[in-house]
Structures are given as structure tokens and as C-alpha cells.
Amino acid sequence: MTLDLLRFTTAGSVDDGKSTLIGRLLYDSKQVFDDQLAHVAEASERRGGEGTLDLALLTDGLRAEREQGITIDVAYRYFATPRRRFIIADCPGHQQYTRNMVTGASTADVSVVLLDARRGVLEQSKRHAFISALLGIPEMVVAVNKMDLVDYSEDRYAELRAEFEGYAEKLDGVKTITYIPLSALNGDNVVTRSAQMPWYDGPVLLDHLENVEVAYDHPGEKPARFPVQWVVRPSNGDGDYRGYAGQLASGALRRGEEIAVVPSGGRSRIAAIDTFDGQLEEASAPMSFTLRLEDELDISRGELICHPDEAPSVGRELRADICWMATDLLRPGGKYLLKHTSRTVTAVIDGLEDLLDTHSLERIEAPTEMGLNDIGRARLRTSAPLAFDPYSSNRRTGSFILIDESTNATVAAGMIAQDASTARAD
Amino acid sequence: MSVAARPQLSHLRALESEAIHVMREVAAEFERPVLLFSGGKDSIVLLRLAEKAFRPAPFPFPLMHVDTGHNFPEVIEYRDRRVAELGERLIVASVQDSIDAGRVVEETGPRASRNRLQTVTLLDAIAEHGFDAAFGGARRDEERARAKERIMSFRDDFGQWDPKNQRPELWNLYNGRINKGEHVRVFPLSNWTELDVWEYIDAEQLEVPSIYFAHEREVFRRDGMLYAISPFTELIDGEEVFSDTVRYRTVGDMSCTGGVLSKAETLEEVVLEIAATTITERGETRADDRVSEAAMEDRKKAGYF
Ligand SMILES: Nc1nc2c(ncn2[C@@H]2O[C@H](COP(=O)(O)OP(=O)(O)OP(=O)(O)O)[C@@H](O)[C@H]2O)c(=O)[nH]1
Ligand SMILES: [Mg+2]
């Protein structure tokens, strides 16, 4: 069974044609409204002269983006075919806006990495492919774009494919990589099969996106994780009601089951699964609902409800991959707010273990600091315990953000490592 | 424990669940949230989502309507009825009061509208009540600047949006930290399309103001749109009044919201009509977006909804 709703993101270096590709995909699948198209035609002609149609303007909607001809922040677009609904995040390629690319990629199931057939596999293409893998996006499409500029050459395509395959061997976490030669500008192999590349017999982009199976197809098949967001306690007469509201991050819960509350450690049974539409016998991710328990426990926001035999790790020490997003440097000893599920605590950076060279994929040991757009592994200590899973097994309970309290800026995306707390060096 | 493969949550229920999660995060992390309720279809959905998020308790925030004084009477009537039904508190921030207090100056002429003036009334009300988070019903599919906005969108102490410098928004972890005087706008329906909204209204059998269904109305044609005759519209020479069967796709001021020719009299018919439409709701019905290429972006930067 395939997913009803597929989220995908674009990635790759600046000017490789990401926005043009999304525009082409929407245009050729007849998902552009007449007034949007008229607007884009008019805006294109104003910039490029009569007869130009710049499909990138379908997503590059900000004044500054149009002035500079680049994407600055993620644009979200929605479209549907009879097979599936899609949420597209069209991301910027420019290095300066990497954090916006991470924003778009953090919720994606599929990442479409573009290469410019002339320019090849650039440093930034690799960085984005690496970030996609790090964010746990299981499916990757490598779209070799601008094939029109290399005479639709099979040799050139094979050369780039081999080069990328060499790089991708070292990428952890990506399940499959699908290679597609295309021209976003002319529409070759985007929605319709290209007559220019008879040597290619794989799927065209839209076909692939309609059919690709992602791990999220079965979000219910993991241990149950229910972070409590909010305690429902009416002050208006319904005096006895006490419900724990949240969104099930993974797995399933049933009425009558025994549950554990972590990190605080209580045990009880599920008395009821309440929704506005009535009670449920069973609920699965990603539903939002309210739990009532048989026993009176003191549970507040930030606790997590799970099955006792499948509890997550609980601890105050973490190892995690960090994408650093601030111009201020990250250094050992730095103190931040850490938001993880519905819990916010203070965290101190205990140490930096390594820094990644996204080009060679080599790890530089024991760096003294991390700068803007650096990716590395850090050890953190928190002011209160967290209940967590490795990111590779659970995106929801394995991720966190760091916030700088002096600026309120979100300064890092964090992904908890497999051997999260075991290897602390002290 | 092993769990058998179970059917996927339908995409509407997945969107609903995401929106409920967003609303609860805001309720938990902010001191004084408010929900902007216009009586339009998107905010009607927001109210249902708030019921799903917080019942059996009352909402942990009041509702607020920025009343331009140029609304469709059917919408105001609906607004008051719905609020009474819910038993929640409604604050009405009035553009007329802002005009009377000299905070804004009314535009004049046949094309005058109070659309821009609303921003001042909204920001004044946010400051007066000390609101630190305001839920809005805006969707990313509506317009190209909105397509760029975060679900939780930061506003500085002038109420301004800076589209070139938005906070990263990772996974579903929202950073709601702000300083005094700043606030956030929160858009739980960010990922919904117009069709999703109508399918949801149909699935939930929600009542909507009568102007969303086809009805006979006295109208005149201007700039390719059909405007209602009202105390707030002035005809320009040569414009003729006629009667036709129209419905509204968006609810804005009578002065700047166009109707569309339609025969859709039920929710199912509206859903079918929207599924087949080839033009966006704002393109078809809103004069306020046509001012310039970045009309919406400019208004949003200044603090508009
Ligand atoms: N010849 C040719 N040009 C293309 C193709 N795809 C895109 N382009 C051109 O490449 C330039 C950059 O395209 P964009 O779509 O804006 O690139 P982008 O990857 O979105 O750029 P950023 O978002 O700023 O990183 C534009 O001039 C496009 O017209 C293609 O298939 N063939
Ligand atoms: Mg782009």
C-alpha cells in the first residue's frame, strides 16, 4: 500500500533548476491555476522579454527572490493526482540559506537532489545529499537536470551517475536512490517520457513519486510514543475530568493496556482514549487524542506515555549529530534551551567529538568549535532527564532543536545518535 | 508487541491531527493566545479544530474578530450565533473605532476599501490585550507569499514579518520564544488546500454563512469581478446593476470581495465546484491582491493577517 500523502523536498546547488523543475511538474500535470499562470507569464515577460515563461516563478514568490533570480526560503506547494496527494517543499540551493533547506527537508519522505548535467556533482550537491541522509529521508531521487545542454548524452549521464554513486556509498540511512535524466526547462522525463533520451528506460519523475513506497507507509509499526502536550482539566463543571492530550508520535495504543510514564516513572492502565468524536478502542500514529488513565498520577506536559516493555532510553546525557545554523560559534561549555518532543530543558555542550567534511565525508576529530552550516557530533548534558530514541529509529522522539536564550533564535537541529549515551568519555 | 499493518489515516485526518498538535503547542507555550475568527470558512475550521483540541474544557484563549464595519451582514449574524453556540468569549476590534480615534484615515472614492486599515486595528488590539500568539486561518496554497511562511511565524515589536529572515522550523518542534512586545502568528491550516477545507467542512457537517452557497443578488461588474450592491460600494459611471445567482469563495469586505457565478447550493456541490475550478480563490474574488506583484507580501510585512 502506498501513502495517501507524500511529502517531498528539492535539494541541490544554486541554479541547478529545482524551482524550474517543480514549476514544470505542476505545469505539465495541469495543476497550475489559470490566474497563477497568467501572473507568472506576465512576471516572466517583464523580466525576460516577450514570450518567456519562467516556471520557477511559480514557487519563487518573494520580491527579493524574483529580483535576484534565486530561492531564499522554502516554498510549499500542494498538488494531487488520482494516485496521491503531494506536499512539495521547494528549497533554496544557496549555501547561505542552508538552514531553510534543512527546514524543508526535516518533514520530507523523499528528497529530489538535482545535478546540473554540465556542472556535475558540486560540493553543495553533496552537502544537500548528505543533509537529506542525515535527516533520515529514506528515499532519494537524483535528477540529472539540464540534459538539453549536453545533447541528451547518455555518456554524460552515466558519468555523473557513477560519480554520485561513488559518493553515495558512504551515505548512511538512504534506502534507495533512483536516477532520472531530465530537462526541467523542456519537460523531458518530468511528467512525460522524453523522445530525446530513448536510452533511458527508468520511470519519469512523476511516475516515480506516485509509486515510491516510503517507510512512513506504516507509521503504526513502531513502539508507541505519546508525548503529553497538554492536560485537559475543565474548570467548568466537568470537575473530575483529567485527560492527557497529545499526538501519537509512533505506534498504537489500546484501551485497557498497561502503560508507563517516562521519565517520571509511573504505571497505570488506559481507561479511555477520548476524541471530540467519541471514544476509541485503539488509536495509531499520527492521531491526536486525549488519554485518561485508571490511576491518579501526577503527569504534566513533557512526560511521555509508552508501553512498559518498550520504553525509550531515559537520561541526561546525549550524543547527537548537530546541524549548526547560527553565525555565533558552537563551543564546548555553551548553554542552550533544548526542545525535545513537548519538553524544554537547558542543555550544556559537554564536548565536540567530530566535524564532518561533507565533501569527502571524512570526520575531523575533536574540533574546538562549529560554525554556520557545520555538521558534527556533540555530547550534551541536560538539566532534566529526557525520554528519547535514536533518530534512526524514530524521527519524532530522536530529534531536538537548540534555542539561544539571548536571541531566541533556533540555532541547531539535533539528531540523537544510535549509541546515544553509552560512550561518554569521562 | 507486534502491531498488524493498519489502514492509513486519510489525508484529511492527518492534516487535522497536525493542526490540533500545533494548537496545543501554542496553548501550552504562550501566556495569552487569541484565535482570529472572521466567520469565513478557514476560521470556521479553526474553531472545530479548537473543539477537537481542548474539549471538554473551554478554549484556553478568546476569539477575536477584526470588524471592518463593511462585512456581509450574513457573516456577522453567523459569527455571533456560532460564538454563542460554543459558549466562548469574542472580542470585537473595530476598524470604525480606529478611524474615530484618528489611528487610521478612511480611503475615499468608489474604490475605497478598509482592507489595509485592518492591520492597524489588529496590531492595536494585539498590543492592548497583550496577546503573544494569534491563530489565523491562512493557508499556503492561497498566495505566493503565504506559500513561504512558517506555521509559527515570528512578528517583531512593530508586528512586522521579515520573509528573508525567518526562523528555521524543524520537524514539528516549534520555537515559541519571544520578547515582550513581540508575538507570533500561528497558521494551523498551513498545509491545507481550499479543497481540503471544503471536504473537511462537508465531512464534519459544519454550518457556514449562507453567502457561501448560491443565491440571487444585485451585483455589478468591475475589473472582471462581480461585486455586491451595498452601502459600502459606489458605482462608477457606466457600471450597471443586475441580478444573478452567485456565491462567495472567500469572505472579506463587501467593498473588495467578488462573488462567483454558481449553482452550488449544498456542501457536496461546493466541493464538486472547487474540485473542478481552474482559478484560485484569491484570483477570482479579491481585488486587494491585484494592486501589485507583491501586494500580499507587502501587507504581510506590515503585520496583516
Ligand atoms: N537549459 C536548461 N536550463 C534550465 C533547466 N532547468 C533550469 N534551468 C535554468 O537554470 C536557471 C536556474 O533555475 P532555478 O530553477 O531558479 O534554479 P534553482 O535550483 O531553483 O536555484 P536556487 O533555488 O536559487 O538554488 C534558470 O535560468 C533556469 O531557466 C534545464 O533543464 N535546462
Ligand atoms: Mg529555486
Side-chain angles (χ1 to χ4, degrees):
Chain A
M1 190 180 65
T2 51
L3 190 66
D4 213 26
L5 184 68
L6 186 86
R7 297 179 189 240
F8 72 93
T9 184
T10 58
S13 188
V14 69
D15 274 354
D16 282 354
K18 297 177 289 298
S19 302
T20 308
L21 179 63
I22 296 311
R24 173 57 68 184
L25 192 62
L26 295 168
Y27 182 74
D28 283 1
S29 55
K30 314 238 169 344
Q31 299 276 338
V32 182
F33 290 100
D34 295 349
D35 54 314
Q36 288 175 333
L37 190 62
H39 164 80
V40 163
E42 193 187 312
S44 304
E45 293 197 344
R46 196 170 324 132
R47 288 172 180 80
E50 218 179 290
T52 347
L53 182 63
D54 180 358
L55 291 173
L57 297 184
L58 278 168
T59 58
D60 289 340
L62 297 176
R63 187 199 302 276
E65 293 179 325
R66 292 177 170 198
E67 279 165 10
Q68 297 171 50
I70 59 166
T71 305
I72 291 173
D73 212 330
V74 195
Y76 293 91
R77 296 285 313 217
Y78 304 83
F79 85 110
T81 67
R83 295 197 65 119
R84 248 185 189 162
R85 281 171 178 264
F86 298 92
I87 299 181
I88 310 173
D90 181 34
C91 291
H94 200 293
Q95 158 123 27
Q96 187 184 340
Y97 307 117
T98 304
R99 59 193 198 155
N100 296 336
M101 180 270 171
V102 180
T103 292
S106 69
T107 51
D109 309 311
V110 177
S111 172
V112 180
V113 179
L114 273 82
L115 301 178
D116 178 330
R118 274 173 323 176
R119 295 193 297 165
V121 187
L122 304 177
E123 161 106 48
Q124 184 72 345
S125 331
K126 292 184 186 172
R127 179 191 300 269
H128 276 191
F130 182 82
I131 292 172
S132 299
L134 187 69
L135 286 168
I137 304 178
E139 290 290 329
M140 188 179 286
V141 175
V142 175
V144 181
N145 188 32
K146 307 200 185 182
M147 287 301 291
D148 54 300
L149 296 180
V150 295
D151 295 328
Y152 298 99
S153 153
E154 181 176 11
D155 288 348
R156 179 62 179 155
Y157 168 73
E159 186 186 339
L160 289 177
R161 178 179 171 144
E163 185 181 349
F164 195 91
E165 277 171 345
Y167 176 77
E169 258 170 32
K170 292 179 278 181
L171 287 180
D172 287 336
V174 185
K175 210 177 87 211
T176 14
I177 304 184
T178 306
Y179 294 82
I180 306 176
L182 48 82
S183 166
L185 193 69
N186 299 339
D188 296 278
N189 288 343
V190 179
V191 171
T192 46
R193 185 161 289 281
S194 169
Q196 311 284 344
M197 294 176 272
W199 45 264
Y200 173 74
D201 57 9
V204 306
L205 181 63
L206 182 62
D207 269 353
H208 178 69
L209 293 172
E210 283 187 309
N211 292 302
V212 60
E213 279 231 25
V214 293
Y216 283 65
D217 286 4
H218 311 291
E221 294 178 15
K222 286 186 174 179
R225 299 287 181 258
F226 185 77
V228 175
Q229 281 187 279
W230 175 257
V231 182
V232 183
R233 234 177 349 184
S235 51
N236 59 344
D238 243 332
D240 290 342
Y241 191 94
R242 189 188 179 86
Y244 304 103
Q247 182 179 28
L248 191 58
S250 61
L253 291 171
R254 283 187 202 81
R255 193 165 66 91
E257 275 179 341
E258 191 181 9
I259 55 94
V261 183
V262 285
S264 70
R267 289 273 183 110
S268 185
R269 281 181 189 279
I270 297 176
I273 302 175
D274 289 336
T275 72
F276 182 72
D277 306 296
Q279 294 192 7
L280 302 174
E281 277 303 303
E282 177 186 301
S284 59
M287 287 174 70
S288 288
F289 49 85
T290 303
L291 285 182
R292 275 182 291 141
L293 302 179
E294 287 182 1
D295 307 279
E296 285 219 4
L297 300 178
D298 177 22
I299 304 174
S300 42
R301 174 174 165 83
E303 299 288 333
L304 186 142
I305 292 173
C306 60
H307 292 123
D309 55 341
E310 289 183 319
S313 310
V314 172
R316 292 179 46 194
E317 279 148 17
L318 298 174
R319 293 170 79 232
D321 289 311
I322 300 282
C323 279
W324 188 247
M325 303 177 156
T327 39
D328 293 341
L329 299 172
L330 173 70
R331 292 206 175 94
K335 210 181 212 179
Y336 302 92
L337 288 177
L338 181 153
K339 186 172 181 186
H340 169 259
T341 66
S342 54
R343 169 168 287 220
T344 303
V345 298
T346 305
V348 175
I349 308 299
D350 262 354
L352 299 179
E353 294 192 345
D354 59 40
L355 188 68
L356 201 99
D357 178 336
T358 47
H359 193 54
S360 65
L361 288 185
E362 262 155 36
R363 289 183 178 270
I364 302 152
E365 298 294 319
T368 54
E369 59 194 29
M370 278 173 64
L372 181 66
N373 299 330
D374 278 349
I375 295 166
R377 186 160 286 193
R379 288 195 316 275
L380 301 92
R381 200 158 29 88
T382 59
S383 57
L386 299 178
F388 59 87
D389 294 293
Y391 186 78
S392 56
S393 56
N394 198 315
R395 262 169 130 180
R396 284 284 158 94
T397 50
S399 55
F400 61 83
I401 56 171
L402 296 180
I403 300 166
D404 181 337
E405 258 189 299
S406 65
T407 60
N408 290 336
T410 304
V411 291
M415 286 138 281
I416 298 170
Q418 194 73 45
D419 44 356
S421 45
T422 48
R424 209 169 98 80
D426 67 356
Chain B
M1 192 200 69
S2 83
V3 178
R6 49 177 48 76
Q8 264 301 310
L9 208 56
S10 81
H11 86 277
L12 276 185
R13 294 300 160 198
L15 291 172
E16 174 189 71
S17 182
E18 173 184 83
I20 291 171
H21 173 264
V22 170
M23 293 184 110
R24 287 172 174 161
E25 282 301 286
V26 171
E29 295 207 332
F30 289 83
E31 270 164 35
R32 296 179 81 94
V34 63
L35 186 150
L36 301 175
F37 178 55
S38 66
K41 61 183 184 303
D42 303 305
S43 57
I44 290 170
V45 169
L46 283 185
L47 287 187
R48 170 47 53 94
L49 293 168
E51 289 182 280
K52 296 208 177 194
F54 303 110
R55 291 294 186 238
F59 297 170
F61 40 73
L63 316 178
M64 182 161 83
H65 181 219
V66 178
D67 187 344
T68 60
H70 288 179
N71 306 284
F72 286 88
E74 296 92 331
V75 174
I76 298 298
E77 185 264 324
Y78 170 87
R79 176 196 78 186
D80 293 338
R81 190 152 35 85
R82 185 75 186 115
V83 170
E85 243 169 51
L86 286 166
E88 299 289 344
R89 184 163 78 96
L90 175 75
I91 298 166
V92 177
S94 149
V95 173
Q96 187 62 52
D97 288 352
S98 303
I99 294 170
D100 295 344
R103 294 284 294 144
V104 291
V105 178
E106 179 114 73
E107 294 174 6
T108 53
R111 289 171 189 275
S113 130
R114 288 184 167 182
N115 188 281
R116 272 174 178 277
L117 311 188
Q118 293 179 87
T119 301
V120 173
T121 308
L122 171 64
L123 293 178
D124 283 355
I126 286 174
E128 181 195 331
H129 295 277
F131 293 131
D132 50 8
F135 291 107
R139 309 185 319 267
R140 286 167 174 160
D141 80 324
E142 277 180 76
E143 203 278 336
R144 55 194 166 273
R146 287 192 162 158
K148 293 275 167 179
E149 194 164 10
R150 301 282 187 256
I151 291 176
M152 181 182 284
S153 185
F154 177 77
R155 293 291 185 280
D156 68 10
D157 49 359
F158 294 96
Q160 298 178 107
W161 178 51
D162 182 357
K164 286 202 286 180
N165 194 21
Q166 301 193 82
R167 283 182 182 171
E169 192 165 87
L170 303 152
W171 302 287
N172 62 345
L173 296 171
Y174 304 102
N175 170 6
R177 303 278 304 183
I178 53 170
N179 292 323
K180 211 173 157 40
E182 301 166 343
H183 71 279
V184 296
R185 300 286 172 83
V186 186
F187 305 110
L189 306 183
S190 287
N191 288 324
W192 298 46
T193 63
E194 185 189 15
L195 184 59
D196 294 330
V197 165
W198 281 113
E199 286 183 341
Y200 189 76
I201 288 172
D202 186 30
E204 295 283 321
Q205 287 293 300
L206 297 175
E207 194 197 333
V208 297
S210 56
I211 63 167
Y212 279 120
F213 299 112
H215 57 284
E216 280 279 312
R217 190 179 278 271
E218 299 271 278
V219 294
F220 64 94
R221 192 176 291 280
R222 177 183 293 171
D223 306 331
M225 286 197 264
L226 293 177
Y227 289 102
I229 288 294
S230 78
F232 321 114
T233 39
E234 249 178 71
L235 292 179
I236 301 175
D237 272 355
E239 287 174 342
E240 273 171 41
V241 179
F242 56 99
S243 178
D244 219 327
T245 310
V246 297
R247 68 171 211 92
Y248 287 84
R249 269 178 87 180
T250 63
V251 159
D253 280 3
M254 295 190 86
S255 60
C256 66
T257 308
V260 300
L261 293 176
S262 168
K263 299 258 176 303
E265 286 174 0
T266 64
L267 286 176
E268 301 92 272
E269 285 166 4
V270 171
V271 169
L272 288 175
E273 188 181 288
I274 296 302
T277 186
T278 59
I279 181 160
T280 66
E281 62 178 79
R282 299 197 75 89
E284 189 164 31
T285 67
R286 298 303 271 269
D288 37 326
D289 287 350
R290 296 191 173 177
V291 182
S292 75
E293 191 175 330
M296 175 63 90
E297 180 179 341
D298 291 343
R299 276 181 295 155
K300 284 186 74 66
K301 280 178 183 161
Y304 187 74
F305 297 101

